[in-house]
Amino acid sequence: MKSQQLLRSKPPARKKGRERTEKRMKFAVKAWSNGKARSGILQLGSCPHNIETPALLLTTRKGLPVYIPPDHLPSLPSPDSNLLHFSPLHFLEGISLKAISNIGGLHPLLGLHDHIMVAVPRDSIISIPDHDSTNRIGASFETPCGRMLIKPADYMEMISSMRPNLWATLADEVPAWASEKRNKASVERTLKWLDECITSNSTDGAVLGSVVGGSREEQRRSCAQEVAKRNVEGFWIGGFGLGESMEERNPLLNAVMDSLPEEKPRLISGLGLPEEVLQGVAAGVDLFDSTYIYHLTLGGFALTFPLESIEKQVTKYQPNSNSGCDGTKINLKATMYRKDTSPIVDNCKCYTCQNHTKAYINHLLNVHEMLAHILLEMHNTHHFLGFFRSIREAIHEGKFEQFRQKFIGSRHEHIFSAALNV
């Protein structure tokens, strides 16, 4: 069993054109717990601090969190909040790629020089994969501009203009119910586009090779093995969160992880719920791109689950059929919070809990003030980043599986109790 083990990356020899990329990204695994769960250090881009993994990529719309203003970003935990996911497809309307390139890319455009920008074409809000319209020429996405077919050359033009620190190659993602033939085609196309993206790459950003394969273990394994042979700095695992169940996901994750080298980071999309994040960490995932915070905030929910060590995980929130409480979150639109003058979570250090009450946010939500979503996203982001910090601590203590089982068991108890009270 590996414990507190430092793995030193020994990447294969690269061409001279890749030397600047190697200096811009370093990754090392620092600790293991319960098999594949691991904690590491990622040094990337202009971020002055190392990023500890497992880590969360904050969801953005055109490079900025949906509700948090740029002047409030420094109030979030740093450097945990410095990882920002964006989809290049968000910029298909508005400012031109040439203008972005002339400005110097997204960092100077947004004024976020110390943040790490990670480009993945897919998200679950605006740029949604459309497998029925994808063909061998390019990947199809549903966007606010309509259905768009993005060719590898088009995608690389976006990457070259935006200059992200880290970017995933174009992929053909398919849902869990796709046929064997369609699955095989998606792997072949993804590998072909991967080679085209690498060949035409002229950026300093680190490349994540895309791994797909739908709900077929053999296709997942084959794709991962082929991508691992390519000249990439890490891996983006796509095709999850598209119809598969939690039970179906485990063997698929294992098929991928067992085929990837341990010394390179792995980013995954589609695993958003806390239980899904824990499932991904248990399989060996390092980075998570999730829209969970956005959907919680949009619905008026606030995260409340305890963040202490597993020995102290006892929550004071009691299930109530009108509260929307399931042991992890509460619904602040509920009338029971109309006169509640306490913060969302006692002793929480976020801006919202330090300055405002449940009653105030309940009022803002019910009169449809956008400030409600600003305050909620700030709290939810702060709290979810704390969840990842607790995961890292559990891994370093060698108690990740106990942490995971305690968390899942606590939530099941709340849901069961709430069902009895209905």
Side-chain angles (χ1 to χ4, degrees), residues 85-394:
H85 158 263
F86 75 95
S87 171
L89 277 63
H90 290 184
F91 294 86
L92 289 176
E93 57 180 356
I95 187 169
S96 68
L97 294 179
K98 184 177 181 181
I100 296 175
S101 180
N102 290 339
I103 292 170
L106 286 189
H107 289 87
L109 175 69
L110 302 172
L112 300 177
H113 301 281
D114 292 339
H115 284 67
I116 295 172
M117 307 299 294
V118 184
V120 177
R122 161 209 177 168
D123 69 31
S124 301
I125 305 173
I126 295 179
S127 51
I128 303 171
D130 178 21
H131 72 285
D132 287 330
S133 299
T134 294
N135 55 42
R136 61 182 181 179
I137 298 175
S140 180
F141 297 88
E142 293 288 352
T143 76
C145 305
R147 187 178 297 163
M148 305 290 294
L149 184 69
I150 307 298
K151 303 175 184 177
D154 302 328
Y155 182 67
M156 289 310 301
E157 182 182 2
M158 299 178 196
I159 296 298
S160 298
S161 300
M162 298 173 192
R163 304 175 196 177
N165 304 103
L166 193 64
W167 56 275
T169 57
L170 194 64
D172 179 14
E173 296 185 83
V174 297
W177 57 85
S179 66
E180 179 70 30
K181 181 179 180 181
R182 181 66 181 88
N183 249 305
K184 186 176 181 180
S186 75
V187 172
E188 293 172 350
R189 293 170 185 171
T190 298
L191 292 174
K192 176 177 179 291
W193 297 341
L194 167 63
D195 292 334
E196 291 180 21
C197 288
I198 292 175
T199 300
S200 60
N201 179 32
S202 61
T203 72
D204 289 331
V207 184
L208 297 179
S210 296
V211 178
V212 295
S215 59
R216 303 298 197 278
E217 288 184 49
E218 62 277 12
Q219 293 297 337
R220 287 273 176 190
R221 185 176 296 105
S222 172
C223 186
Q225 291 171 349
E226 286 300 317
V227 175
K229 298 176 184 177
R230 266 62 171 187
N231 188 20
V232 296
E233 284 70 47
F235 308 96
W236 174 69
I237 303 161
F240 284 108
L242 298 178
E244 80 283 356
S245 66
M246 290 276 288
E247 293 73 22
E248 293 170 330
R249 192 178 296 140
N250 271 328
L252 300 176
L253 284 171
N254 290 332
V256 172
M257 297 304 171
D258 292 343
S259 303
L260 298 179
E262 293 179 337
E263 70 272 12
K264 295 184 179 181
R266 300 108 172 231
L267 164 63
I268 196 168
S269 296
L271 305 190
L273 297 174
E275 295 93 334
E276 293 179 322
V277 169
L278 292 171
Q279 183 182 35
V281 171
V285 176
D286 304 297
L287 302 168
F288 293 81
D289 158 28
S290 165
T291 58
Y292 180 58
I293 293 173
Y294 168 79
H295 290 296
L296 278 178
T297 301
L298 193 64
F301 290 91
L303 289 173
T304 58
F305 56 81
L307 299 175
E308 295 84 0
S309 63
I310 56 176
E311 290 83 3
K312 300 179 181 178
Q313 280 197 12
V314 179
T315 179
K316 68 173 65 176
Y317 294 99
Q318 297 299 319
N320 185 296
S321 59
N322 296 319
S323 70
C325 176
D326 63 358
T328 61
K329 62 184 182 294
I330 56 174
N331 182 2
L332 284 177
K333 291 181 180 179
T335 56
M336 66 180 294
Y337 299 115
R338 187 173 295 172
K339 298 181 180 180
D340 192 331
T341 57
S342 64
I344 297 173
V345 174
D346 291 334
N347 301 319
C348 177
K349 302 301 182 183
C350 79
Y351 174 89
T352 302
C353 290
Q354 290 292 305
N355 294 279
H356 300 291
T357 65
K358 296 190 190 81
Y360 182 54
I361 300 174
N362 173 271
H363 160 72
L364 293 174
L365 286 168
N366 288 319
V367 297
H368 307 291
E369 282 285 350
M370 186 177 177
L371 180 58
H373 293 107
I374 293 174
L375 296 176
L376 269 179
E377 185 168 39
M378 292 179 69
H379 167 77
N380 287 335
T381 301
H382 190 284
H383 202 84
F384 210 39
L385 290 174
F387 175 60
F388 276 82
R389 185 171 59 252
S390 296
I391 290 174
R392 293 193 295 268
E393 291 173 357

Side-chain angles (χ1 to χ4, degrees), residues 12-73:
R14 301 179 188 275
K15 298 178 181 179
K16 292 183 179 180
R18 306 296 301 176
E19 290 176 357
R20 293 179 63 188
T21 300
E22 285 188 279
K23 295 178 182 179
R24 291 175 61 90
M25 175 179 170
K26 296 179 181 179
F27 177 76
V29 178
K30 302 291 290 185
W32 299 81
S33 179
N34 302 106
K36 299 178 182 178
R38 62 194 210 165
S39 177
I41 297 291
L42 178 68
Q43 184 180 7
L44 188 67
S46 57
C47 184
H49 305 288
N50 293 336
I51 302 293
E52 295 185 37
T53 64
L56 173 70
L57 275 63
L58 302 190
T59 297
T60 71
R61 186 169 293 175
K62 297 189 176 180
L64 289 169
V66 181
Y67 294 114
I68 302 177
D71 56 335
H72 278 73
L73 285 176

